[in-house]
Amino acid sequence: AAFVRSRFDIAVGAETICPLCNSSYKDQINDLLRNKSKEETWQEIIGILKSKYDIVIKTPQILIGHQKYH
């Protein structure tokens, strides 16, 4: 967003906030992701996030990106 503003002088919205980083349960969520077994699917993790933490994630890429970049 900062690059687009400076390079093209275009106003852009605020950067997307990570719903996992923004959660008050961030530490528990990070533990959940870190302890995911190879047998466990991302859909199972998404279900746990929805039922236990009321966080709606639609694709596993969000979880993978969170692990990799946050």
Side-chain angles (χ1 to χ4, degrees), residues 21-43:
C21 289
N22 201 30
S23 173
S24 58
Y25 302 105
K26 181 181 175 184
D27 293 333
Q28 292 95 327
I29 292 168
N30 285 334
D31 287 341
L32 177 69
L33 297 176
R34 189 175 16 259
N35 296 324
K36 177 190 170 293
S37 67
K38 290 186 179 193
E39 294 80 24
E40 199 170 17
T41 67
W42 285 114
Q43 288 301 345

